[in-house]
């Protein structure tokens, strides 16, 4: 690479690969894990991440303005370069400009831009020495380059410049002899240059290469081109350039497109898809595009906008017909009726229209034969309705809109029209209501759009109601829409509305399908899978999937990723209204079956993720339960991640339906999952409901269970007093029941809470008692977790050897159980104990092990703490640059996390790094933040540590009196906690 005229060499394979990966993804964050994959072809060493970070530091020092070019961003690094600084970015920009020029009909500009882009090519990235990841990216760039070259040479041939490009083409073909598209371009260039024999010879060479290398024949397209050259097909004659850019128009061509609304907004991707499909249309056969989607999604407006944009390309005219597939009070048009209406719109007198179906179909096809027209067949109900309207021999474009996907049509390209993105919805509201009114209430406007769910019909009706009531604020309509029972009524105006559009789709379904739709509406969340549907419908998974797909076909359900389906918010309101009006005895049983499914599957997932946890009630393990376990932890975690929102909603649904046992049992699984994924605010709300349901059932054991899990959720949010109160209540219940296992668990959790509050002696006693009882009972999971907490308490009390021994035992226990989550805390505590013993390299290794496991399970609740731990060790080792990277990453993750318990610790770590770097003002700011958080949460040890750090910083700043005040306050707090000088 160059800096001005100076050539800068980058030495070492790892440096080159890391720099190349960052430049290939310029402007985007490249995670450290991806840089590791790029750096090592096979298994990377344990120190791979550490080496990558050192490599980045070296690159920053080697490159001019290196720290500005390679910046740390979240989980990785990002290259910050301007378009003119990097050939790859310039190349991509030129390709974008070429596409825009083609769209605008500026072929000469497109040719020039493509040539300039291709001239930037310097050969494969790292010339084959980049390793598997870089080589894959290089291959993709090579493919993109060849595609651009093919496009360039195609344009040159069309422009009559065939003779000039044959040499360039032959070079490329020799480099890529198996690429048939390039070969076809060369054959055409030779043919148009008057070298028919040479063109035919190229085909013979292609056939020989393909046979020798791959053992296959040329493609049908290349064979067809060869045959056309052999017979000198007139269609190969290059058309002369038109004298004008305006196509010739037939004088009496019909133009019957409806009004194109001026406030049309968004749908840029969909419009581009239609334009691209029209551009690649084959000769002598129609291009048929079908737009499907739920009622009110704006399919008709999209088709009309596209038709107006493309109309000039179809010189024989344009026709539009509403087939009334889903029109209130209308019977769908038959093909016979539609043909008559279309012919009449084209100017054919009624007396010339045959009165029998066969004759009229023939008359329609005869009229369309050889014509290049644009047809919009709107609001189709079924394939049979439009099949006979598609012209057989014509270069026409046919745009069809329908709610169901018309899978019975052959040779059709489909596009499902979904909800409008938020920005497009916002623009539509501004266009229809007026920018001034939207800008007066920006928050209310966004909430209104959320309630409309990106459905253009809903946005337009909402805007119309507000425009008709100028005395209403946007917030007033939002408040009216908050009532789910009234939302559909509010989104109705002058006889049209969302409810009416959905009702037509619902009424068109068979009875069995309507019943299934109603039962699926009892699902508590927005997303559902086939297993949940099977539970609701009381059937097997494959049958349930068929039902779901049928509902997708009629656009009352959205297919998301494979196996996952969604109800639009307004469809949910509609189906809930239907369920209220068509209640049946089986509805309640459907909800119970779904709750059973959730409880069973979530329980199995948590058993897989948290081995050794106690089983509750009928969750006792038997052979059948073991056989149904998730195969891997990642699959169990994936299931919980995917169903989290549904499980949260299920607790509310179960409580509302009077299924108190389910409402009391499900929150436990959410609490366990939240300990990894950190959504404690919502999980705690479910646990509160679980406590209430347990008390209504009079079940002390369930009440104790929910109280203890709720307490840990409160602890993670830094609400220590509330956590202790619930643990004390849980402890009392355990004693009343004589449940020694639960009592031991409560002691361990109280020890954890008291440790955070700085009551270290009490915490030490509780952890020791809990550990002793766990060993007596053979309660392995509690044995490990109590040892882990005990280790942290011992570190704070200055008992470093004992702390290291306890943490090592905890890690060994968790490893024997294959328990990952709790082992992260234990490894972190072990790193802290070993660091205090002065064994820094070993401490860093344990911190790195904790980080690897934390990242493997993606645990946002403890990731900031683990990164802060690494930073602390690195500071002790003098590796300040890497310490700063780890500390900044910890701070970013802590800021975005909902858990607060570790936030003060992270700020303290960042403060230590900044102090070591000599940035005293930033160190002080971080220590003040840590002190504020610690005081608010009653984290006495962190409060004392913050004061001690503030004292050290003040002394370095020359503020001796302030330093003494901070140190004195810290000493007093440490003394109250029995923390010796060695542990401060």
């Amino acid at each position: 690479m160059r800096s001005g005229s100076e050539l800068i060499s980058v030495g070492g394979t790892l440096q080159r690969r890391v720099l190349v990966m960052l430049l290939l993804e310029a402007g985007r964050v490249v995670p450290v894990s991806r840089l590791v994959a790029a750096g090592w072809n096979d298994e990377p060493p344990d120190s791979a991440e550490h080496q990558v970070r050192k490599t980045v530091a070296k690159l920053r020092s080697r490159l001019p303005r290196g720290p500005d070019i390679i910046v740390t961003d979240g989980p990785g690094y990002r290259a910050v370069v301007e378009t003119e600084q990097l050939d790859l970015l310039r190349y991509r920009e030129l390709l974008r400009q070429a596409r825009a020029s083609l769209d605008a009909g500026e072929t000469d500009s497109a040719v020039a831009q493509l040539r300039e882009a291709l001239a930037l090519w310097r050969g494969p990235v790292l010339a084959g020495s980049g390793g598997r990841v870089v080589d894959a990216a290089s291959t993709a760039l090579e493919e993109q380059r060849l595609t651009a070259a093919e496009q360039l040479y195609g344009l040159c041939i069309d422009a009559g410049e065939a003779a000039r490009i044959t040499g360039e083409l032959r070079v490329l073909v020799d480099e890529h002899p198996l690429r048939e598209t390039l070969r076809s371009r060369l054959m055409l260039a030779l043919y148009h240059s008057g070298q028919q024999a040479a063109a035919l010879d190229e085909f013979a060479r292609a056939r020989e290469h393909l046979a020798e290398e791959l053992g296959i024949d040329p493609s049908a397209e290349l064979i067809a081109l060869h045959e056309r050259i052999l017979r000198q097909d007139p269609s190969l004659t290059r058309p002369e350039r038109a004298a004008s850019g305006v196509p010739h128009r037939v004088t009496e061509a019909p133009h019957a497109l409806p009004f194109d609304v001026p406030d049309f907004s968004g749908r840029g991707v969909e419009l581009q898809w239609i334009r691209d499909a029209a551009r690649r249309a084959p000769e002598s056969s129609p291009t048929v595009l079908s737009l499907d989607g739920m009622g009110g999604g704006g399919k008709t407006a999209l088709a009309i906008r596209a038709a107006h944009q493309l109309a000039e390309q179809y010189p024989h005219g344009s026709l539009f017909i509403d087939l009334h597939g889903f029109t209130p009070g209308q019977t769908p048009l038959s093909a016979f009726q539609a043909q008559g209406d279309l012919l009449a719109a084209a100017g054919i007198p009624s007396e010339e229209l045959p009165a029998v179906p066969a004759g009229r179909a023939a008359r329609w096809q005869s009229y369309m034969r050889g014509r290049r027209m644009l047809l919009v067949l709107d609001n189709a109900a079924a394939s049979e309705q439009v099949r006979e309207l598609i012209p057989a021999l014509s270069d026409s474009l046919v745009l069809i809109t329908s709610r169901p996907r018309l899978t019975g049509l052959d040779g059709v390209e489909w596009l499902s029209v979904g909800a409008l993105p938020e920005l497009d919805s916002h623009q539509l509201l501004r266009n229809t209501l007026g920018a001034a009114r939207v800008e007066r209430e920006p928050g209310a406007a966004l909430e209104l759009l959320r309630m409309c769910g990106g459905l253009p019909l809903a946005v337009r009706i909402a805007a119309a109601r507000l425009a008709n009531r100028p005395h209403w604020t946007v917030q007033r309509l939002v408040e009216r829409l908050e009532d789910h029972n009234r939302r559909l009524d509010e989104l109705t105006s002058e006889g049209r509305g969302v409810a009416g559009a959905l009702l037509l789709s619902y009424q068109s379904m068979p009875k069995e399908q309507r019943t299934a739709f109603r039962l699926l509406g009892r699902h508590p969340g927005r997303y559902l899978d086939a297993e949940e549907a099977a539970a609701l419908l009381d059937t097997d998974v494959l049958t349930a999937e068929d039902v779901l797909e049928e509902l997708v076909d009629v656009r009352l359900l959205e297919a998301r990723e494979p196996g996952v389906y969604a109800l639009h918010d307004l469809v949910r309101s509609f189906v809930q209204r239907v369920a209220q009006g068509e209640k049946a005895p089986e509805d309640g049983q459907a909800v119970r079956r779904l709750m059973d499914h959730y409880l069973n599957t979530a329980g199995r997932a948590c058993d897989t993720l948290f081995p050794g946890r106690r089983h509750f009630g009928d969750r006792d393990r038997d052979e059948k339960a073991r056989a149904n376990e998730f195969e891997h932890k990642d699959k169990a975690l994936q299931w919980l991640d995917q169903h989290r929102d549904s499980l949260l909603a299920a607790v509310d649904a179960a409580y509302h339906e009077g299924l108190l046992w389910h409402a009391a049992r499900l929150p436990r699984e959410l609490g366990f999952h939240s300990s990894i994924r950190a959504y404690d605010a919502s999980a705690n709300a479910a646990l509160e409901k679980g406590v209430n349901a347990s008390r209504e059932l009079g079940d002390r054991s369930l009440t104790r269970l929910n109280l203890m899990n709720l307490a840990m959720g409160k602890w993670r949010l830094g609400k220590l007093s509330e956590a202790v109160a619930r643990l004390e209540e849980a402890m009392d219940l355990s004693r009343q029941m004589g449940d020694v296992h639960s009592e031991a668990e409560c002691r361990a959790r109280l020890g954890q809470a008291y440790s955070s509050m700085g009551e270290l002696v009490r915490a030490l006693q509780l952890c020791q008692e809990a550990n002793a009882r766990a060993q007596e009972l053979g309660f392995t999971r509690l044995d490990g977790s109590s040892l882990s907490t005990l280790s942290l308490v011992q570190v704070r009390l200055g008992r470093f050897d004992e702390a290291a021994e306890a943490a090592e035992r905890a890690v060994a226990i968790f490893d024997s159980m294959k328990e990952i989550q709790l082992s992260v805390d234990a490894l972190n505590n072990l790193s802290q104990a070993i660091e205090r013993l002065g064994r820094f390299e070993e401490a860093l290794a344990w911190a790195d092990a904790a980080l690897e496991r934390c990242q493997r399970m993606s645990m946002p609740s403890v990731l900031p703490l683990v990164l802060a731990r690494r930073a602390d060790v690195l500071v002790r080792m003098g590796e300040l640059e890497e310490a700063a990277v780890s500390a900044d990453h910890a701070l970013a993750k802590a800021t975005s996390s909902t858990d607060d318990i570790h936030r003060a610790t992270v700020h303290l770590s960042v403060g230590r790094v900044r102090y070591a770097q000599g940035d005293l003002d930033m160190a002080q700011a971080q220590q003040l933040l840590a002190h504020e958080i610690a005081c608010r949460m009653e984290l006495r040890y962190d409060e004392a540590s913050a004061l001690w750090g503030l004292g050290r910083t003040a002394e370095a700043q020359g503020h001796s009196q302030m330093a003494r005040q901070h140190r004195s306050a810290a000493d007093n707090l440490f003394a109250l906690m029995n923390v010796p000088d060695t542990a401060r």
Side-chain angles (χ1 to χ4, degrees), residues 904-920:
T905 302
V906 170
H907 286 297
L908 287 171
S909 178
V910 177
R912 284 188 281 269
V913 173
R914 297 292 177 251
Y915 179 88
Q917 291 179 318
D919 188 348
L920 299 181

Side-chain angles (χ1 to χ4, degrees), residues 529-601:
D529 59 27
E531 290 184 345
E532 293 167 282
L536 283 165
L537 302 177
D538 197 17
T539 188
D540 61 272
V541 173
L542 287 178
T543 303
E545 188 173 29
D546 289 340
V547 172
L548 293 168
E549 289 295 335
E550 288 170 359
L551 289 169
V552 169
D553 289 341
V554 297
R555 294 302 177 254
L556 286 175
L557 205 60
E558 302 170 15
R560 310 297 266 186
E561 59 193 73
V564 179
Y565 303 84
L567 281 170
H568 188 282
D569 287 343
L570 294 175
V571 176
R572 175 169 300 286
S573 296
F574 173 75
V575 72
Q576 287 171 351
R577 173 180 291 187
V578 169
Q580 288 294 320
E582 301 179 16
K583 280 188 176 180
E586 63 264 26
D587 291 9
Q589 289 302 313
V591 175
R592 181 181 291 275
R593 286 193 302 270
L594 180 62
M595 297 303 154
D596 287 341
H597 165 71
Y598 280 150
L599 195 53
N600 177 50
T601 313

Side-chain angles (χ1 to χ4, degrees), residues 233-302:
D233 190 329
S235 67
L236 287 177
T237 302
R238 181 178 57 81
E240 295 297 326
R241 289 190 179 186
S244 167
V246 181
H248 174 65
R249 297 178 182 271
V250 177
T251 55
E252 295 184 1
H255 296 284
L257 293 178
F259 175 63
D260 182 20
V261 291
D263 56 19
F264 182 92
S265 300
R267 299 299 188 201
V269 173
E270 292 86 347
L271 285 167
Q272 186 61 49
W273 180 86
I274 295 171
R275 287 193 294 265
D276 290 344
R279 187 181 300 116
R280 61 175 182 267
E283 295 179 3
S284 302
S285 62
T287 298
V288 185
L289 309 179
S290 183
L291 312 177
D292 57 75
M294 67 179 288
K299 302 179 294 298
T300 299
L302 170 62

